[in-house]
Amino acid sequence: MADQRPHGDNAEARAIAAALRDAIHSGEYNAGDRLPSERVLAATYHGARNTARAAIQELIQEGLVRPEHGRGYFVRERPRWMRFGRLRYTTPMRAVTTHGPFGAEARAQGKTPRVDVRSVERIPSPVDVAERLGIEAGTDVVRRENWYYADEIPMQIGITFIPWSIAKGTALTKAENLGKRALYGRLEDLGYTIANIREEVTARPATREEAEGLDMPAGVPIIDLWHTGMTVEKKPFEVTNFRMRADYSALDYDMPVEY
């Protein structure tokens, strides 16, 4: 008869992980609390230490638990980051910070924002960007890559694409502080006031660069959000691909229902 023990061990590990997960979600264990040791877990659930270790590794992969060398396993703190959807693009919201909508969200949630402009370059537009901008693929655009931090915790990456025909000869083509009204203020000055938005939201595994740069635990996915900014006539003039860590981020949309 084939040895069924590995399958049994897997089931036992999943059962221990489920019990610990429920205890974390119910508040029995709070952020910063240390979990029982592998030895205690093995004794509590009548299993082997290897089985308890596998259960904890499952929770580490999910981003619920973090290991500390020589100290044990602790429940991770999960700062809640709320993305305000439609509200984030209003003029009063954007006027309170030099960091654009992200900065306004940070201030509203009691956090200190920081934006790191990683690169600004002129490139031929990729197909997915061109489709959203309503231009021919390969038409030149400005690509601006920003990394966003709240209280020095990396939260998201934003890669913005603006047609070169709009951005040429302006500060939008340079890696510099865009001023108090930031990106959308500069675009407004050029006659492109954001009045409509379209946002497409999916999730996917993080790339190695994203996971390392955002300091994400293994197994935490990326919220992949494509935002298109449009004028009152619904003419698109900028596209931003936001890559948000799913362990911290939440989306909040408030909009009228059309009849």
Side-chain angles (χ1 to χ4, degrees), residues 87-105:
L87 180 62
R88 75 196 309 265
Y89 297 103
T90 60
T91 300
M93 188 77 168
R94 292 188 281 111
V96 301
T97 174
T98 60
H99 298 301
F102 177 87
E105 288 168 339

Side-chain angles (χ1 to χ4, degrees), residues 86-87 195-197 253-259:
R86 184 180 61 168
L87 180 62
N196 291 280
I197 62 171
Y253 291 97
D254 176 9
M255 61 193 72
V257 175
E258 297 183 5
Y259 290 91

Side-chain angles (χ1 to χ4, degrees), residues 43-153:
T44 300
Y45 293 97
H46 308 291
R49 285 190 64 172
N50 284 347
T51 304
R53 183 177 301 120
I56 291 175
Q57 287 301 316
E58 184 173 325
L59 299 182
I60 291 172
Q61 290 285 321
E62 294 174 11
L64 287 176
V65 171
R66 58 179 170 80
E68 286 193 17
H69 183 68
R71 296 192 62 213
Y73 303 101
F74 294 80
V75 178
R76 284 186 67 228
E77 294 184 3
R78 298 178 61 138
R80 187 172 183 236
W81 177 263
M82 186 64 72
R83 188 178 190 277
F84 290 155
R86 184 180 61 168
L87 180 62
R88 75 196 309 265
Y89 297 103
T90 60
T91 300
M93 188 77 168
R94 292 188 281 111
V96 301
T97 174
T98 60
H99 298 301
F102 177 87
E105 288 168 339
R107 297 297 185 193
Q109 295 173 75
K111 302 182 187 300
T112 301
R114 180 169 70 84
V115 180
D116 180 12
V117 182
R118 293 288 179 93
S119 65
V120 179
E121 56 184 334
R122 179 180 179 178
I123 65 166
S125 59
V127 173
D128 51 2
V129 171
E131 288 176 349
R132 291 176 171 88
L133 285 173
I135 60 178
E136 186 176 344
T139 303
D140 281 0
V141 293
V142 173
R143 180 188 185 275
R144 299 181 59 89
E145 181 174 334
N146 293 337
W147 288 60
Y148 297 86
Y149 301 79
D151 291 344
E152 293 306 315
I153 297 173

